[in-house]
Each structure stands twice: as structure tokens, then as C-alpha cells.
Amino acid sequence: MRVLVVEDEPLIAQALREGLEAEGYAVDTSDRGDDGLWRATEVAYDAIILDLMLPGMNGFVVCREMRSRGITTPVMMLTAKDGEFDEAEGLDTGADDYVTKPFSLVVVLARLRALIRRGPTERPATLVAGDLVLDPAERTCRRGDTVVELTPREFSLLRYLMHRLGEPVSKRDLIDHVWADQEMEANVVQVYVGYLRRKIDEPFGRAAIETVRGHGYRLAADGG
Amino acid sequence: MASLRRRMGTLVGVGVLVIVSASAVVIAIERWQEETASLVDTLELAAFDLSETRTPRIGDIAVRGGTDVLVLLLDDRAEVIDSSGSSFVGLDELIDGPWSDAVDQDTVVTYEFGGSDGRSATAAAVPCIDSSVCDSVIVVASAGKLSSYLVARWMWLTGPALPAGLGAAAAAVWLVGRSLRPVDAMRRDLASITASDLERRVPVPSTGDELERLGTTFNDTLDRLGAAVAANERFVADAAHELRSPITGVRAVLDLEAGRSPGGLLEDGARELERASCLIDDLLVLARRQGRGRRIIDVDLDDVVREQVATAATRFPEVEITSSIVPVRLGGDPDGLRRVVANLLDNACFHGDRRVGVRVSAVGGVARLQVDDDGPGIPVAERARVFERFARLDGSRSRHTGGSGLGLAIVGELVSDHGGTTTIGESSWGGASAVATIPSAAG
């Protein structure tokens, strides 16, 4: 297993190298973004650990460049959790996981193992119902040309409904798959379906989410 | 502002009324004198006319309204032969007047006298043409009282001035209000500018006067204040950022060494390092609280709480967390709200003994988050102080129990950024109960 560590802090790079080597990985290190990108293009690594703040080229750009060059190697981003960069933004650029500094070496190693086990990940497919489009990779939702802002829970609710397009979905299923909270009351689902309708249906004069009496809901395959 | 306008209005209104009244008095006195002079002329003419007739007629003697007129015919002994009436006030005094002497001289005499009731009268006497009929004719006109004349005249002149005075007062109120409007706008803006939005400026009126200079000065002060706050935030953020890299390095090294030779001092070191990095995180949150990272979007408080309860449950497996959560949506900063919930939960799990209760509810457009624990609680006297930065209660001074000392301060400040309040009370288990209330937009 060969891993590339792109990190400009010598102490962190050194500790990562030693920690990884102790686990039996072959480790290359790079202290510049542009150099890291070049190495990633030249060598087929099993995983890349990428710092965000790098001289030469920052981690987001490196990651985006790699993906645009067709390199699907799993990337773990090291970020400083100071609100300057958004998690979602990091994932948008194609990173597969991220760990905030200061991280625990144990955690980094465990997550790296999981990342390599999963292998290069496919970006999830875009979900479509008529002119209602949900892109799980970019976490965006569109109705026609209009971008609809959804809260995280609204997003996962719509995602699940679109995943089972045209089928009646029971409230129990929604609780299990969207909330994963056994003790949650069913009326919470009702409230969130109301939120969703107010965002994707009512402003457009549509009715994509149908109520299936005594059971649950169904997302119309044609988007209402 | 309103009272200033009222004062100016009253001042102008009263001023107008005083000036008009004073002018009215002067004008009335002048008119009185003029009318009195013309009365004498009128009476003389009337007397001349009457001297040619035999009967005392008032006829068309044109005198000013409200004036009693009396015509007397006297014989050569100054006895009244005939008169147009006898109800004239002060008639006796009049008849005893110096008429006969005057008439003897065949001249016109005018005589003004003040009656006992304060009235005055004017009389004109002329000899009769036919002395067989009468000796002389006297025409008398009471002139009325100067005081009542003045009152009448004053009312007549000042009456119309009253609405004028009120109008002037209203105009003054409007004018003052209008010219002070920029001040009011600046005051309103200044009042709503807090430390969290020092980029805002008050509107400066382009009037080229004191108001414009006042506005400019306000804005210059805000510029300096904003720069100072920004510099302070930048310093804390930079310092925290710079500290984080070596801490990450040291932590990775400690982890590495702990992997090789577990236990002992290395673990203590790692724990202390963890504390330092928490402190840095907290400092960053406070420094950036008002900074660029802040965005206001729909946040499902119930979701945030669910997520944080799950996190706390894995971090504190020995604590039983019960929750009662209803869907509550509010407009806010998702990172900030997550921090609020996380800090309250950490605090409760930390100080609680075995149980922590979380309740999310919404009443009348206000979201309410309550976190109870069964720990020792917080004495009433200390409850306000726990929201101060670096406030530590005596009981938690030891490094093992104390957090960064910023946890609740962060909660307090973030909640107040959302227009809410945080209070500490006593839970039903006897421990602490933290309650944050935040106005919710969507309800």
C-alpha cells in the first residue's frame, strides 16, 4: 500500500510518515501543493493525505485538479476547523474524507484503512423526477432552472423519496432511513414533508409529494 | 426629539400670539382716539342741524355702534325743555355741566366727562337759531368704557391671530422635525449598530451644516472602532491558527510514541494538549463569532440537537441522555447553533452524575432548548457569572474537571447573536438546568 502525504509542517509530516510506516504503508511526502499534484499524477497511490493550507497550490485546487485529470485515488483532507473553509466545499472538490487538525493519529490511521478498503469511490448519480433534480455529490437541488436551498434533513428526506421514486414510502421507512431514530414520533416526518412541499412544490404550483393516506408519501415520477 | 419639537412649537406659537396681542392693543388705542375725535365732529354737526329745528330728534346722527345718543333742548335758564330720552346715565351731572356759560358765548362747546361708573361722554352744544323755541341744543354721546372697548377690539383683532399662532406652532413643529430628521435617522442607525456589524454606517445628510459634520464624525468613529475590533479578531484568529500547527505536530508525535510505549506520562501530555487545542478552538469561535464565516440560513434546531445528542452519547457512554424533541426551525448560523448545543450538552454530561435531559420546544415563535443534568448544580449567586469568559466556579478549578472556561461564555454570546437569551436554573433532579430561548422565524 503506497500513500502520499502532502503536508508542509515538517513535524506533522514526519509523525504521519512514521505512524503510517509503523502500519506497514510505503509513504512519500511532499511539502508543496503543486509538487503533490505532480506526484499524484505520476504514481498510482492507494490513498492521498492532503493538507489544505499549502504553499504552491492549496489542497482544494490540488484535489479538483486531480479529479479533473481522472485520478480517482481516495483523498483524505486535513483541515483546520476555523470556519474559513466549509466541509461541504471540501467534499465538493472531490475529497472522500476529511479530518480536522489537531487530529489523533489513531483516528487518521483508522479512517485511512476504511478509505482504502472502499477504494476509489464513484460519485453518486444525480436523481431526477421531471424537472426536479437532486445532485447528492454537490448537495444541490433544482426545480427547473431554480436552485432550491434545502436544510440537511430536508435534503436527505428528498433524497430518500427520490431514491424510491413513484413508490409509496411509509412513515416508518422514512424514520428508519432518514432519521435512524427509533423513538422519534411520526409527526416529525409530517412537519418535514410540509417544509419540503413549501420549498419544492408550492412556489412552483406543483405537487410532487403525494400523501398516501394511512401509509406515508410518494414522490411523483414526473415531479408533480 | 419629540420634546424638542414640542418646545420649539410652543415657543413659536406663544411668540406669535404675544406679538399679535401687543399690536392689537396699540391699534385699538389708536382707533379709540381716532373714533373719539371723529365723534366730536359728528356731534357738532348734529347739534348744528338740530339747532334749526324745534324737536330734539336723534334722526340720522351717525355715531359708532353701541353708543347712546341723547339730544337736549335747553332754555336760557339751562332748564331742559325737551329731550330725546331720560335714561341716559349721568344725565343730572351732564345738565349741571358748564353748558349755559358756553352757550351764552354763542360758541360750540365740546365736553368730555368721566361718569361715576367709569363711562365717559362727549357733548356738543350750539345756540338755537330761533331763541323763542330754545336757548341751546346739546347732543351727548356716551363713549362707553375704554377698557371694554379695548377688550372688544382686542378680541376682534386677536381672534383671527389664534389659528395663525397655532398654525405657526404646527409649522415650527414640522420644520424642526424636518430639520432634525437626519439626526433621528442617525440615532436609529447608531442604536442598531452593535459590535457584530461594525461595517455599517449612519446616513450622512448632505446639508453642509452641523448635522452633516455630526454624521461624518459618527462614521469616522465607527471606522476606527471597526478597525480596532477587526484587528483584535485578526490577531486572535492568527494566533490560534499559528498555535494549531505545532499542536497538531506535537499531538501526532505523542500519538506515535504512545503507540510504541503505551500509558504513563504520554497520556497526561496528550490530555493537556487536547485541552490546549480545545481552548484554541473556543478562542477561534469567539474571535470569528462576528466574522466572515457567519451565514444566516434555515436551521432545524431539532436536527442539530439530535445530531449532538448522538455525538454526546458516544463521548459519554456512562451518561444516560433522554430527549424530548419537537421540530423547530429558525433562521441562524448552523455552525454557531451546533456549537451552542454541543457546549450545553458537554457541560451537562461533564457535570452530570448519570442523567442528562434535553428538551426542544417552541412556544409562540420562540424556540426553547433546555438541558438538565443531575450534577451538583450551580449556586444561585454564581448563575449569572458562569456566562463570563474564563469564569470558573471554585468547585471546578482543577484541571480535570474544568473545561476551557469559555464553553458557556460562547453559548451566551452565540445565543445573544441570534437575538436570544440563556439562563441557568435548577433541574428537577437538583442539578443545573440551562435554558436557551431564541426567536424562531419560521416557527
Side-chain angles (χ1 to χ4, degrees):
Chain A
M1 289 288 159
R2 192 157 183 189
V3 177
L4 173 65
V5 174
V6 191
E7 167 66 69
D8 61 327
E9 282 293 325
L11 188 61
I12 302 173
Q14 180 63 22
L16 280 172
R17 170 194 280 279
E18 289 192 25
L20 289 165
E21 283 175 351
E23 296 261 310
Y25 293 98
V27 182
D28 289 343
T29 56
S30 168
D31 58 2
R32 289 182 60 84
D34 39 9
D35 178 64
L37 177 62
W38 176 78
R39 281 170 191 267
T41 331
E42 295 298 307
V43 181
Y45 290 103
D46 295 287
I48 297 172
I49 296 178
L50 185 60
D51 188 29
L52 194 56
M53 306 287 272
L54 288 168
M57 188 184 268
N58 83 38
F60 283 151
V61 181
V62 172
C63 195
R64 198 176 297 128
E65 262 311 292
M66 273 172 43
R67 293 298 185 238
S68 74
R69 292 183 192 182
I71 300 164
T72 55
T73 313
V75 169
M76 178 188 288
M77 198 85 94
L78 302 179
T79 66
K81 196 174 89 189
D82 54 12
E84 196 153 2
F85 296 102
D86 207 334
E87 288 170 13
E89 194 185 344
L91 294 174
D92 282 351
T93 60
D96 301 275
D97 196 2
Y98 63 93
V99 174
T100 54
K101 287 180 175 181
F103 48 78
S104 142
L105 197 56
V106 183
V107 169
V108 168
L109 293 174
R111 285 169 65 166
L112 191 67
R113 271 197 298 278
L115 209 54
I116 291 173
R117 194 164 53 240
R118 284 208 302 270
T121 45
E122 296 268 320
R123 280 163 76 89
T126 302
L127 297 162
V128 181
D131 62 348
L132 186 63
V133 179
L134 196 73
D135 184 344
E138 290 192 355
R139 294 195 57 82
T140 55
C141 173
R142 265 192 199 80
R143 176 66 109 168
D145 295 328
T146 315
V147 175
V148 181
E149 297 281 349
L150 298 179
T151 69
R153 193 67 71 183
E154 286 170 348
F155 191 90
S156 37
L157 175 60
L158 183 59
R159 185 179 180 175
Y160 188 71
L161 285 172
M162 288 184 84
H163 176 66
R164 293 181 56 181
L165 199 60
E167 283 177 49
V169 182
S170 73
K171 287 184 184 170
R172 178 45 52 191
D173 274 6
L174 288 172
I175 290 173
D176 288 349
H177 289 91
V178 179
W179 277 270
D181 180 349
Q182 301 305 318
E183 285 156 32
M184 202 186 80
E185 287 171 32
N187 69 354
V188 176
V189 178
Q190 225 162 299
V191 171
Y192 275 85
V193 167
Y195 288 159
L196 258 187
R197 281 177 169 151
R198 257 174 272 156
K199 285 188 176 177
I200 64 163
D201 279 347
E202 281 169 26
F204 305 94
R206 309 284 285 275
I209 306 176
E210 298 159 8
T211 303
V212 182
R213 203 168 284 276
H215 182 71
Y217 303 93
R218 171 174 40 218
L219 193 79
D222 60 357
Chain B
M1 195 63 65
S3 82
L4 181 59
R5 284 166 60 181
R6 236 182 356 251
R7 284 205 300 275
M8 291 298 287
T10 313
L11 202 68
V12 169
V14 169
V16 165
L17 283 177
V18 165
I19 290 169
V20 168
S21 307
S23 315
V25 168
V26 171
I27 290 171
I29 289 175
E30 273 176 9
R31 287 290 292 277
W32 170 264
Q33 287 168 349
E34 270 172 32
E35 281 182 17
T36 307
S38 76
L39 182 64
V40 172
D41 291 346
T42 308
L43 294 180
E44 274 179 24
L45 276 173
F48 270 121
D49 287 349
L50 287 169
S51 68
E52 293 172 347
T53 66
R54 311 174 57 108
T55 26
R57 271 185 304 119
I58 293 173
D60 298 322
I61 301 171
V63 291
R64 66 186 167 208
T67 306
D68 295 332
V69 176
L70 178 69
V71 178
L72 301 171
L73 300 183
L74 304 183
D75 65 11
D76 52 359
R77 290 190 307 281
E79 296 287 329
V80 177
I81 304 166
D82 203 354
S83 73
S84 64
S86 61
S87 65
F88 202 86
V89 177
L91 183 63
D92 294 339
E93 187 191 345
L94 192 69
I95 291 166
D96 291 342
W99 303 110
S100 51
D101 295 349
V103 170
D104 283 350
Q105 290 162 18
D106 275 2
T107 51
V108 176
V109 176
T110 61
Y111 177 58
E112 291 178 49
F113 70 97
S116 59
D117 62 342
R119 293 162 70 108
S120 68
T122 305
V126 292
C128 292
I129 302 286
D130 185 352
S131 55
S132 64
V133 177
C134 60
D135 185 57
S136 55
V137 177
I138 300 175
V139 181
V140 190
S142 78
K145 276 173 16 184
L146 177 62
S147 61
S148 54
Y149 176 81
L150 276 184
V151 169
R153 275 287 151 181
W154 183 82
M155 294 280 272
W156 185 77
L157 283 166
T158 312
L162 203 69
L166 286 176
V173 167
W174 179 77
L175 219 88
V176 171
R178 196 180 137 86
S179 45
L180 287 183
R181 201 176 298 153
V183 177
D184 210 28
M186 281 190 273
R187 185 199 57 76
R188 261 200 313 275
D189 260 51
L190 209 56
S192 65
I193 292 175
T194 59
S196 60
D197 56 359
L198 280 172
E199 301 89 49
R200 282 181 49 199
R201 294 293 174 264
V202 300
V204 177
S206 47
T207 45
D209 57 6
E210 293 86 344
L211 293 185
E212 182 174 347
R213 289 199 294 279
L214 179 66
T216 313
T217 308
F218 273 152
N219 283 344
D220 289 347
T221 309
L222 285 171
D223 282 343
R224 290 196 298 274
L225 213 58
V229 169
N232 187 37
E233 281 174 12
R234 202 161 42 242
F235 172 74
V236 175
D238 288 350
H241 202 85
E242 289 304 316
L243 280 167
R244 187 143 28 199
S245 281
I247 284 183
T248 306
V250 171
R251 170 145 188 207
V253 169
L254 285 177
D255 279 356
L256 204 61
E257 290 302 317
R260 288 169 189 164
S261 54
L265 275 177
L266 280 177
E267 273 179 24
D268 291 344
R271 198 164 42 237
E272 284 305 287
L273 207 60
E274 176 70 30
R275 236 162 57 74
S277 89
C278 283
L279 179 58
I280 288 167
D281 281 351
D282 287 353
L283 282 175
L284 267 174
V285 170
L286 282 179
R288 297 202 174 230
R289 185 168 65 94
Q290 303 114 351
R292 322 154 252 172
R294 204 165 135 72
R295 53 205 169 118
I296 301 297
I297 54 171
D298 279 352
V299 178
D300 295 315
L301 185 63
D302 48 323
D303 242 16
V304 174
V305 172
R306 255 180 243 286
E307 168 197 301
Q308 293 303 321
V309 165
T311 308
T314 47
R315 287 190 56 203
F316 301 92
E318 70 281 5
V319 178
E320 185 201 344
I321 305 177
T322 52
S323 56
S324 154
I325 302 171
V326 300
V328 178
R329 171 164 293 182
L330 43 86
D333 166 32
D335 297 328
L337 289 170
R338 195 172 298 128
R339 192 79 185 189
V340 166
V341 178
N343 285 10
L344 286 179
L345 273 170
D346 278 2
N347 215 55
C349 290
F350 218 85
H351 296 290
D353 187 19
R354 281 175 297 113
R355 283 177 300 182
V356 166
V358 184
R359 176 181 291 272
V360 176
S361 55
V363 183
V366 176
R368 188 171 183 280
L369 167 68
Q370 178 176 349
V371 182
D372 292 347
D373 66 56
D374 61 348
I378 297 171
V380 178
E382 306 269 23
R383 282 178 189 168
R385 214 167 64 77
V386 296
F387 294 108
E388 291 168 15
R389 294 180 180 190
F390 294 113
R392 285 193 194 188
L393 307 185
D394 286 340
S396 68
R397 266 199 198 287
S398 95
R399 62 200 167 109
H400 291 297
T401 56
S404 70
L406 288 172
L408 284 179
I410 287 173
V411 169
E413 294 187 26
L414 288 174
V415 168
S416 106
D417 282 351
H418 285 83
T421 53
T422 323
T423 52
I424 296 273
E426 188 178 326
S427 75
S428 53
W429 297 316
S433 169
V435 175
T437 51
I438 301 175
S440 64

